[in-house]
Amino acid sequence: TVVIRGRWQVDGGAGLALERLNFPDGVDVTGGRDVNFANCTFGGTPDALRADKVKGLRVEHSIFANGALSLRQTEDVFLSGNIHAAAGMPAVRMDTADAIRYSDYNSYTAMSPCWEVGRSSWSFADLRGRHDRYSRILAPELALDRGVPRLKNEARFRSLGPHSTALGPHHDY
């Protein structure tokens, strides 16, 4: 288990792929293109993963333990197989809905609010009109294991992700 302490910051670059990392204090990505996170855990501040002016952000099979994905002037975003565990807040915040190219097979904790687009809150029903057709409302139970949030109710998230994979961390063997 790799834990990166302190808010991690990435400025620029292209073709960045990060897998199986835990960011308890969150991540800031500014500029750049083709930035990929897979099987990661994000925590920390209300903006657990903040992307600013990124073209081509991909987040798959990750857990947002107690914060949101925050997008500003970011485009071509792909979201799939993620667990959004923070209750009472939008899972994704963005300045425009056009930022999202694809979002599906994710888990949200409540019917509303799921996303915040500009100054508007989007419910789960609002999302399903455009994205997240196969996403679910499920309450994850998290416990800390060596400082990393882990699912206690992992069985509820099996086979609900893309291609019958698990929601949240998933490893092909």
Side-chain angles (χ1 to χ4, degrees), residues 5-24:
R5 304 242 182 250
R7 188 141 187 112
W8 200 59
Q9 297 183 359
V10 177
D11 293 317
L16 180 64
L18 301 160
E19 295 187 36
R20 299 182 185 184
L21 298 173
N22 302 282
F23 302 96

Side-chain angles (χ1 to χ4, degrees), residues 4-120:
I4 298 179
R5 304 242 182 250
R7 188 141 187 112
W8 200 59
Q9 297 183 359
V10 177
D11 293 317
L16 180 64
L18 301 160
E19 295 187 36
R20 299 182 185 184
L21 298 173
N22 302 282
F23 302 96
D25 302 311
V27 177
D28 290 329
V29 181
T30 305
R33 62 182 174 81
D34 300 326
V35 178
N36 302 310
F37 291 92
N39 295 297
C40 293
T41 303
F42 302 94
T45 67
D47 294 331
L49 171 56
R50 186 180 315 137
D52 187 7
K53 299 177 185 165
V54 176
K55 180 167 176 49
L57 176 68
R58 190 175 187 104
V59 183
E60 297 177 276
H61 291 284
S62 294
I63 295 177
F64 289 83
N66 58 359
L69 169 61
S70 181
L71 308 170
R72 189 174 150 270
Q73 296 179 2
T74 293
E75 58 186 89
D76 200 21
V77 177
F78 182 99
L79 307 171
S80 186
N82 300 302
I83 296 174
H84 298 278
M89 67 184 298
V92 182
R93 293 184 173 114
M94 67 197 89
D95 47 5
T96 175
D98 293 336
I100 306 294
R101 176 174 44 103
Y102 177 87
S103 180
D104 210 349
Y105 295 98
N106 297 299
S107 170
Y108 300 96
T109 59
M111 294 296 282
S112 187
C114 283
W115 286 7
E116 184 178 277
V117 181
R119 296 178 191 260
S120 299

Side-chain angles (χ1 to χ4, degrees), residues 141-164:
E141 296 172 15
L142 300 176
L144 288 179
D145 176 18
R146 292 178 281 164
V148 176
R150 303 275 187 219
L151 280 173
K152 290 186 348 185
N153 58 342
E154 184 179 310
R156 291 194 68 199
F157 296 87
R158 288 187 189 143
S159 301
L160 298 177
H163 308 291
S164 295

